[in-house]
Amino acid sequence: MSPISLVALVVNDYDDAIAFFVSKLGFDLIEDSPSTTNDGRPKRWVVVRPPGAETGLLLARADGDRQEAVVGAQTGGRVAFFLRVDDFDDVYRRMTAGGVEFTRPPRTEPYGRVAVFLDCAGNQWDLLGPA
């Protein structure tokens, strides 16, 4: 079986999302191509991915009231995205200096170091590092 290739993340604006994931988190911009919706309106196919990762995020601009309502809450307020790093303290410092909003400070759990941050849409992520 193949690994998961992409996970869609509904965002308000392509360029704001690209700036957040590429500039603040250090993800690679894999693709940014013109596309069209099912009914022929223009959109973009935007994929970002952490360096060296196989799974990427498809940054999908909200299309219509239903999708706009879930921007920042598509996981019901739970942490549903997890960014694992080798040097937790260095990445935490860099993200904090870059303006990433952390909602819970770093703590040590049996599975490693963890702190919760918000992405550009308001979704909660765990920053995870070794214990």
Side-chain angles (χ1 to χ4, degrees):
M1 186 168 297
S2 299
I4 293 174
S5 173
L6 295 172
V7 174
L9 185 66
V10 182
V11 298
N12 285 317
D13 180 81
Y14 293 118
D15 294 323
D16 289 346
I18 290 169
F20 178 83
F21 285 99
V22 173
S23 298
K24 292 189 177 192
L25 298 189
F27 284 26
D28 295 326
L29 179 60
I30 302 303
E31 186 171 359
D32 184 357
S33 301
S35 188
T36 56
T37 62
N38 291 336
D39 59 1
R41 290 175 290 120
K43 69 174 187 175
R44 289 159 61 184
W45 182 263
V46 179
V47 176
V48 295
R49 185 172 57 215
E54 290 186 30
T55 303
L57 292 175
L58 173 66
L59 302 177
R61 187 185 65 211
D63 185 15
D65 293 340
R66 185 173 179 198
Q67 291 181 23
E68 288 172 7
V70 302
V71 171
Q74 66 189 71
T75 62
R78 291 189 57 106
V79 171
F81 305 101
F82 304 84
L83 180 60
R84 182 166 295 281
V85 297
D86 293 327
D87 188 339
F88 179 91
D89 292 328
D90 181 59
V91 173
Y92 177 79
R93 277 192 297 275
R94 183 175 48 79
M95 288 172 66
T96 302
V100 174
E101 179 184 353
F102 280 84
T103 60
R104 289 186 218 142
R107 67 186 191 278
T108 301
E109 297 290 342
Y111 53 83
R113 300 266 293 143
V114 61
V116 179
F117 69 94
L118 300 178
D119 68 19
C120 58
N123 295 295
Q124 293 186 83
W125 289 63
D126 271 359
L127 176 65
L128 297 169

